[in-house]
Amino acid sequence: MKVIWHSWKELLVLFFKYSNMNLKLTLEYKLNRSLITLAIFCREMVGVVVMWLILLRFLHIRGWELHEMLFLYSFLFLSYSLFVFLFAGIRDFDNMVHSGEFDRLLTRPLGLMFQIVAARIDFSATLGHGIVGVLLFSNTAFSVGIDWTWGNVAYFALVLLGGTLIQAAIFLLSACFSFWAVKTESLRNLIFFNTRRIAGYPLSFYPVFIQKLLVFVIPLSFVNYFPAQYFLRKDDASLWSGYLYLTPVVGALLFGFVFLLWKRGVRHYSSTGHSAY
């Protein structure tokens, strides 16, 4: 079906309507969604508590103190919270293909990526990760010696957006394999969630191979390490200082490149044969 082009104003109105429907669906099962949010919050706080207990005993590791480590960690939660608010459809794309829901989207005269992004908002994960991120950031942002000028605030907003796009690109890359393998949950977990556990710590903790993996292959270091280093200026990993400013650029370029791969996969897609109804 031919796609009808819409203005930015029309797309914003459509996105708002989609968001409103998602919110109504979420509020239909308030207790269930509240418990999911609480479970996500508790699950993520376990890792924070473990880090806190370790640093209470050792005071600092390789020059990184407790508040600095938690400040570094906060970027992962804040950017992931924004990611699941904006791009939960990309995260769950393999389920859309497997259930046949993606076939239904193909029949609508609206951009596919817009439909995928607008159709799903994970409010539970947004709140669960967002609360952890806000707690960590609010308790460390002013205790690590940062002067929050307008320039630093603007940089912070840009790296959150860039980190969100980097994570969206990683999930979209795993989504590309859904056109051939259909279910890609294991690949998604391997590429993102397992690597994110490693990225929660400074690059200087790891050998050169892991550092290069997090910079050049799965660039999660641009989500939290380099943004945190911009503010903290820790003298640890011997990496190019220009990386501190590249998070928005890496996010935009990486997402654009993977989006082109995804569009190529769409052209070669054949239905799974499942019904979305």
Side-chain angles (χ1 to χ4, degrees):
M1 180 175 289
K2 183 179 179 181
V3 175
I4 300 175
W5 293 99
H6 296 78
S7 67
W8 282 104
K9 184 178 180 180
E10 291 173 325
L11 290 176
L12 285 174
V13 170
L14 284 171
F15 184 81
F16 176 78
K17 290 182 178 180
Y18 271 108
S19 302
N20 191 40
M21 288 189 294
N22 275 289
L23 182 59
K24 287 180 179 179
L25 287 172
T26 299
L27 295 177
E28 189 174 356
Y29 304 99
K30 297 183 182 67
L31 178 60
N32 180 56
R33 295 298 182 180
S34 298
L35 290 175
I36 292 174
T37 301
L38 179 62
I40 293 172
F41 172 80
C42 293
R43 181 192 68 196
E44 301 303 332
M45 281 300 296
V46 168
V48 175
V49 171
V50 169
M51 181 185 295
W52 177 72
L53 291 173
I54 292 173
L55 288 168
L56 275 183
R57 181 174 179 84
F58 296 101
L59 299 180
H60 63 82
I61 302 177
R62 288 183 177 268
W64 286 77
E65 299 178 353
L66 175 62
H67 284 170
E68 294 170 339
M69 291 281 288
L70 296 180
F71 179 71
L72 172 77
Y73 218 16
S74 70
F75 282 89
L76 284 178
F77 291 108
L78 290 173
S79 59
Y80 186 78
S81 175
L82 186 58
F83 160 73
V84 289
F85 179 76
L86 294 174
F87 298 109
I90 292 177
R91 183 198 62 186
D92 302 333
F93 183 73
D94 64 330
N95 291 327
M96 298 176 72
V97 173
H98 184 257
S99 66
E101 183 180 354
F102 182 64
D103 294 357
R104 179 159 53 91
L105 300 184
L106 288 168
T107 65
R108 296 176 178 175
L110 189 62
L112 276 175
M113 184 53 68
F114 176 82
Q115 292 186 74
I116 292 166
V117 168
R120 296 192 181 186
I121 297 176
D122 192 340
F123 288 102
S124 298
T126 298
L127 288 174
H129 288 86
I131 292 171
V132 175
V134 169
L135 286 175
L136 293 179
F137 182 78
S138 61
N139 281 282
T140 60
F142 298 97
S143 61
V144 293
I146 299 171
D147 182 16
W148 286 100
T149 62
W150 284 111
N152 283 341
V153 171
Y155 173 86
F156 178 76
L158 284 173
V159 295
L160 277 188
L161 180 59
T164 299
L165 287 175
I166 289 171
Q167 292 171 90
I170 294 171
F171 276 94
L172 187 60
L173 179 61
S174 70
C176 291
F177 291 93
S178 299
F179 297 121
W180 295 277
V182 183
K183 294 293 288 182
T184 58
E185 184 177 357
S186 298
L187 177 64
R188 182 179 63 202
N189 292 340
L190 175 64
I191 293 176
F192 182 79
F193 291 108
N194 291 335
T195 308
R196 193 176 74 154
R197 293 190 182 96
I198 302 173
Y201 294 86
L203 283 182
S204 57
F205 285 23
Y206 301 112
V208 174
F209 170 75
I210 300 297
Q211 292 183 20
K212 290 184 177 180
L213 174 71
L214 292 174
V215 174
F216 301 111
V217 182
I218 307 174
L220 288 177
S221 58
F222 289 96
V223 176
N224 67 329
Y225 177 74
F226 292 123
Q229 272 286 62
Y230 173 86
F231 293 106
L232 301 176
R233 303 291 172 162
K234 304 292 291 183
D235 184 19
D236 53 355
S238 56
L239 294 166
W240 181 46
S241 60
Y243 289 143
L244 305 184
Y245 307 93
L246 291 183
T247 295
V249 177
V250 171
L253 292 178
L254 186 62
F255 186 84
F257 174 71
V258 178
F259 178 65
L260 292 177
L261 293 179
W262 182 83
K263 288 185 68 175
R264 184 178 179 86
V266 171
R267 290 197 295 268
H268 292 83
Y269 170 72
S270 58
S271 175
T272 59
H274 295 168
S275 173
Y277 299 96

